Amino acid sequence: MATIYEVSKLAGVSLATVSRVMNNNARVSDNTKKKVLAAMQTLGYRPNAIAQSLASNCSNSVGILVSELSGAFYGQMMSGIETELRAAGKHVIITTGHSEEEKEKDGLEFLIGRNCDAIIAHVEAVSDEYIVELSKGKTPIYLMSRHVEALSEKCISLDNEHGGYLATKSLIEHGHSKIAYIAGPQFKADASNRLQGHKRALSEHNIAFDETLFFIGDFKETGGSEGLHHLLKQGYDFTALVCANDEMASGAMKYAREHNVKLPSQLSIIGFDNVIFANYLYPTLTTVDNPVNEMGRMAAKMVLKEIYHQKNIEINRIFEPTVILRNSIKSIKTT
Amino acid sequence: MATIYEVSKLAGVSLATVSRVMNNNARVSDNTKKKVLAAMQTLGYRPNAIAQSLASNCSNSVGILVSELSGAFYGQMMSGIETELRAAGKHVIITTGHSEEEKEKDGLEFLIGRNCDAIIAHVEAVSDEYIVELSKGKTPIYLMSRHVEALSEKCISLDNEHGGYLATKSLIEHGHSKIAYIAGPQFKADASNRLQGHKRALSEHNIAFDETLFFIGDFKETGGSEGLHHLLKQGYDFTALVCANDEMASGAMKYAREHNVKLPSQLSIIGFDNVIFANYLYPTLTTVDNPVNEMGRMAAKMVLKEIYHQKNIEINRIFEPTVILRNSIKSIKTT
DNA sequence: TTGTATGCGTTATCAT
DNA sequence: ATGATAACGCATACAA
């Protein structure tokens, strides 16, 4: 690996001059510039980003922390962030938190230690206080899908409560009143907010929340199948099911088919997130759109504007969920 | 951000001593160790990974390059790599190549510039020569799903040709002989190898390859629906369809349903990759298992063994595809 | 066991 | 316009 020193020697100039042509921020005569460029070429010189970062205290890279690297939801989010940043010549350093407090902290600190110019995090296990404390450091932290009051201008979130409300309301408007619910892990704010919305829709239509029609899953396919298994085993009847995300909905749909529950004639299902494959399930899944990809792009735009000082960027911090009607809900006659 | 210098001052020792307790590789008296630890505590000291990396020429992090951050395939791969590495206390720096030569090079050089101890890459657009050249640098490069002769001991790959062969053979064994094929982008080695396998299975059973039953898609859902649209439009008849990956299979399945082609009675479909949701489609998708997650883990193990010198690790560089029989293939009578 | 001094590859602040 | 030289925060060979 050639260093800037070797380049300077070959070009017959000083270190400083080489550095100048690299960052072309200062005047360098065309002649010497040419010599330096040539030297770089023949040596196959590549700047050492680490050294640049240490000296300039700027890494031109932003850290991303997500819970998992797999899963359509996180994929869309990362993809949105990266697309926008990459277009601006910035790089992304991704790591994971696995929804565990220690790992999230570890990941966050790793990112800070790597001198990221900013961090975009989707954290679920660490406390608000911890985040606020960390935000006092030199690395700005932006939060995805989470609202922390003290950091509200750095938070991008979906109105999950409203989404949960819409999902259940949609079922009610199709004539359903016996509605089961498979929730996500309640320590996740997304999950608990969606559930709150569900309860609001219920009470607004004078339907009592029924504990026996309720199950807490893991936000994965298995959570959906286990949930439906549990609900069916109870023997209580219900005509509709809300799943707090699409993965669980797909698991429930599969379980239903395997146990001869006709979809949607015997059971209507609505999911949440509108991940890509929701549209490829059978029946195609009616769900609540969660524009994660756009939210990711927006997070990226925020750091582009606030950290890298790009102009003419419109910011929007709250995203609204919308119901995507497909074929997994059947209308039933109201008596 | 407190530095090692401030810690040393507060603890009343030298820089070197602080450094020693951090890396606890040299003997330090319990007493002074305690003092240093205490000083770190009260200052909330966090080592600057950048500086460590510059000084030690080791970053304890490995770079990953994938084409896309979204998509079940890449998700499984990244996840496998990260799981294994994280368990060993190493971090991962992920970036993308978007299947474009310039971006892949850019990503690779970014990773090298960040001083990664090794790189695990899934590159599709850069040439073998470029990779070989890059491998002569100080950063070892491991290749996922790609075989480069000169670097064969650093390549982890699936026998895609065999997989393609198995897929078509499976259809043939179910009595099909009119078999259409929706391929992936042919500049991708995976895609072209799978196609080769398909042709081999065909010729082995004396079935001529028919250009009219062939379409090249984009490895995404849209490729599958466009492909089936194209094939159906031709008016030629076929009873079975091989899709070079599951996303395209799901797209084709959706298109089939929308155009009243009964699955699997009128059309049998087999996919490739066995991504998670293949098991949640309807009918559940018969496909060729591509153990990307395990392959990711294996790549991680290779760097753990060869770069970080961990012992007792078994290495396996070639993975075999297997057919996962589900419900998307119908047996038909052979005349 | 502990401290001193030097180097890692850049950027940046001075001069010239 | 260009060249010395001091940071940047840490690791490490060498001394003590």
Side-chain angles (χ1 to χ4, degrees):
Chain A
M1 273 301 142
T3 73
I4 197 176
Y5 176 71
E6 306 176 41
V7 175
S8 79
K9 218 168 48 179
L10 202 163
V13 297
S14 73
L15 297 184
T17 304
V18 177
S19 177
R20 285 185 186 105
V21 348
M22 286 185 51
N23 307 298
N24 65 312
N25 43 15
R27 294 255 68 88
V28 179
S29 80
D30 279 7
N31 199 355
T32 58
K33 181 182 287 187
K34 236 166 254 169
K35 284 191 299 186
V36 172
L37 256 16
M40 286 178 168
Q41 272 288 334
T42 68
L43 287 175
Y45 170 75
R46 306 253 150 250
N48 180 324
I50 292 292
Q52 286 180 318
S53 178
L54 186 61
S56 69
N57 201 29
C58 163
S59 63
N60 276 316
S61 62
V62 352
I64 300 184
L65 180 75
V66 290
S67 295
E68 301 297 337
L69 295 171
S70 58
F73 181 84
Y74 297 114
Q76 289 300 313
M77 186 171 114
M78 293 187 285
S79 187
I81 298 173
E82 205 255 359
T83 302
E84 210 66 42
L85 250 21
R86 193 66 174 270
K90 308 301 177 187
H91 271 273
V92 130
I93 296 181
I94 302 174
T95 190
T96 61
H98 296 288
S99 306
E100 293 172 32
E101 184 172 2
E102 281 317 308
K103 290 187 178 172
E104 287 185 352
K105 288 185 178 177
D106 185 46
L108 250 13
E109 283 165 13
F110 169 75
L111 260 15
I112 292 176
R114 299 300 296 189
N115 244 356
C116 293
D117 298 332
I119 290 176
I120 298 176
H122 181 272
V123 281
E124 310 181 295
V126 295
S127 68
D128 283 9
E129 294 73 44
Y130 176 79
I131 301 176
V132 172
E133 198 54 38
L134 217 55
S135 292
K136 291 176 183 164
K138 70 169 180 186
T139 312
I141 300 179
Y142 292 80
L143 262 26
M144 294 289 302
S145 278
R146 174 161 179 166
H147 188 82
V148 174
E149 199 51 42
L151 266 37
S152 62
E153 75 292 342
K154 293 207 175 328
C155 295
I156 292 196
S157 56
L158 180 78
D159 189 340
N160 279 293
E161 198 274 346
H162 190 225
Y165 172 81
L166 289 178
T168 299
K169 189 178 169 206
S170 178
L171 251 15
I172 294 174
E173 285 172 348
H174 280 80
H176 296 272
S177 58
K178 296 166 188 168
I179 303 172
Y181 192 96
I182 298 180
Q186 291 300 297
F187 72 89
K188 300 191 179 191
D190 291 10
S192 74
N193 290 335
R194 289 172 193 182
L195 177 58
Q196 279 176 32
H198 166 69
K199 291 182 176 174
R200 179 161 66 89
L202 247 32
S203 75
E204 210 169 73
H205 293 80
N206 299 311
I207 302 175
F209 176 74
D210 184 347
E211 278 289 349
T212 63
L213 295 182
F214 179 66
F215 182 85
I216 296 184
D218 59 5
F219 263 167
K220 300 178 183 171
E221 284 90 352
T222 48
S225 47
E226 286 166 11
L228 188 51
H229 169 76
H230 170 84
L231 294 169
L232 254 23
K233 196 184 57 183
Q234 301 280 317
Y236 294 106
D237 73 326
F238 51 96
T239 60
L241 170 66
V242 182
C243 291
N245 77 354
D246 291 347
E247 339 272 311
M248 295 202 298
S250 75
M253 285 167 75
K254 185 182 183 198
Y255 186 88
R257 253 192 318 268
E258 289 171 352
H259 292 77
N260 298 312
V261 176
K262 301 283 173 250
L263 302 176
S265 57
Q266 290 179 279
L267 181 64
S268 290
I269 296 186
I270 186 167
F272 202 116
D273 280 348
N274 191 25
V275 298
I276 292 177
F277 75 80
N279 193 29
Y280 292 86
L281 294 172
Y282 178 75
T284 55
L285 183 64
T286 289
T287 186
V288 178
D289 185 50
N290 183 350
V292 259
N293 191 270
E294 282 176 52
M295 288 169 68
R297 300 181 105 95
M298 183 55 71
K301 286 182 183 171
M302 284 176 68
V303 343
L304 248 23
K305 175 171 189 170
E306 297 171 8
I307 308 299
Y308 297 116
H309 307 105
Q310 289 199 0
K311 306 295 181 190
N312 304 322
I313 294 186
E314 287 286 339
I315 298 301
N316 170 28
R317 294 188 185 79
I318 299 281
F319 286 71
E320 288 301 328
T322 50
V323 172
I324 307 289
L325 283 173
R326 288 198 273 250
N327 304 315
S328 62
I329 296 186
K330 182 201 170 197
S331 286
I332 61 175
K333 307 270 188 306
T334 50
T335 51
Chain B
M1 276 302 141
T3 75
I4 197 176
Y5 176 70
E6 306 176 42
V7 174
S8 79
K9 219 170 47 178
L10 202 161
V13 297
S14 74
L15 296 185
T17 304
V18 177
S19 178
R20 286 184 187 107
V21 347
M22 285 184 53
N23 306 299
N24 63 313
N25 43 15
R27 295 255 68 86
V28 179
S29 80
D30 279 8
N31 198 356
T32 59
K33 181 182 284 185
K34 236 166 253 169
K35 284 193 299 187
V36 172
L37 256 15
M40 286 179 168
Q41 273 288 333
T42 68
L43 286 175
Y45 170 75
R46 305 254 151 249
N48 180 324
I50 292 293
Q52 286 180 319
S53 177
L54 188 60
S56 69
N57 200 30
C58 164
S59 62
N60 277 316
S61 61
V62 353
I64 300 184
L65 181 74
V66 289
S67 294
E68 302 296 337
L69 294 172
S70 58
F73 181 84
Y74 297 113
Q76 288 300 311
M77 185 171 115
M78 293 187 284
S79 187
I81 299 173
E82 204 255 357
T83 302
E84 211 65 43
L85 251 21
R86 193 66 174 272
K90 309 300 177 188
H91 271 273
V92 129
I93 297 182
I94 302 174
T95 189
T96 61
H98 295 289
S99 304
E100 293 172 33
E101 185 172 1
E102 281 316 308
K103 288 186 179 173
E104 287 186 352
K105 288 185 178 178
D106 185 46
L108 250 14
E109 284 164 13
F110 169 75
L111 259 14
I112 292 176
R114 300 298 297 189
N115 243 356
C116 292
D117 299 332
I119 290 177
I120 298 176
H122 181 273
V123 282
E124 309 182 294
V126 295
S127 68
D128 283 9
E129 294 73 44
Y130 176 80
I131 300 177
V132 172
E133 199 55 38
L134 217 56
S135 292
K136 292 176 182 163
K138 68 170 180 185
T139 313
I141 300 180
Y142 292 80
L143 262 26
M144 294 291 300
S145 278
R146 174 162 180 164
H147 187 82
V148 174
E149 200 49 42
L151 267 37
S152 62
E153 74 295 341
K154 292 205 176 329
C155 295
I156 292 195
S157 56
L158 181 78
D159 189 342
N160 279 293
E161 198 274 346
H162 190 224
Y165 171 81
L166 289 178
T168 299
K169 189 179 169 208
S170 177
L171 251 15
I172 294 173
E173 286 172 348
H174 280 81
H176 296 272
S177 59
K178 297 167 187 167
I179 304 172
Y181 192 95
I182 298 180
Q186 291 299 297
F187 73 88
K188 299 192 180 191
D190 291 9
S192 73
N193 290 335
R194 289 172 194 183
L195 177 57
Q196 280 176 31
H198 166 68
K199 290 182 176 174
R200 179 159 67 88
L202 246 33
S203 75
E204 209 168 76
H205 293 80
N206 299 311
I207 302 174
F209 176 75
D210 184 348
E211 278 289 350
T212 61
L213 295 183
F214 179 66
F215 182 84
I216 295 185
D218 58 4
F219 263 167
K220 298 178 184 171
E221 284 90 353
T222 48
S225 47
E226 287 166 9
L228 188 53
H229 170 75
H230 170 84
L231 294 169
L232 254 23
K233 196 183 58 184
Q234 301 279 318
Y236 294 105
D237 74 324
F238 51 97
T239 60
L241 170 66
V242 182
C243 291
N245 77 354
D246 291 345
E247 340 271 313
M248 295 201 298
S250 75
M253 286 167 75
K254 186 182 182 195
Y255 186 88
R257 251 190 321 267
E258 288 171 353
H259 293 76
N260 298 312
V261 176
K262 300 287 174 246
L263 301 176
S265 57
Q266 290 179 280
L267 181 64
S268 289
I269 296 186
I270 186 168
F272 203 116
D273 281 347
N274 191 24
V275 299
I276 292 176
F277 76 80
N279 193 28
Y280 292 87
L281 293 173
Y282 179 75
T284 54
L285 182 64
T286 288
T287 186
V288 178
D289 185 49
N290 183 350
V292 259
N293 192 270
E294 282 175 52
M295 289 169 67
R297 301 180 104 95
M298 183 55 70
K301 285 181 185 173
M302 285 176 68
V303 343
L304 248 23
K305 175 172 190 168
E306 298 171 8
I307 309 299
Y308 297 117
H309 307 105
Q310 289 200 0
K311 307 297 180 187
N312 304 322
I313 293 187
E314 286 286 338
I315 298 301
N316 171 28
R317 295 188 182 79
I318 299 282
F319 285 71
E320 288 302 327
T322 49
V323 172
I324 306 290
L325 284 172
R326 287 198 273 252
N327 305 314
S328 63
I329 296 186
K330 182 202 171 197
S331 286
I332 61 176
K333 307 270 189 304
T334 49
T335 51

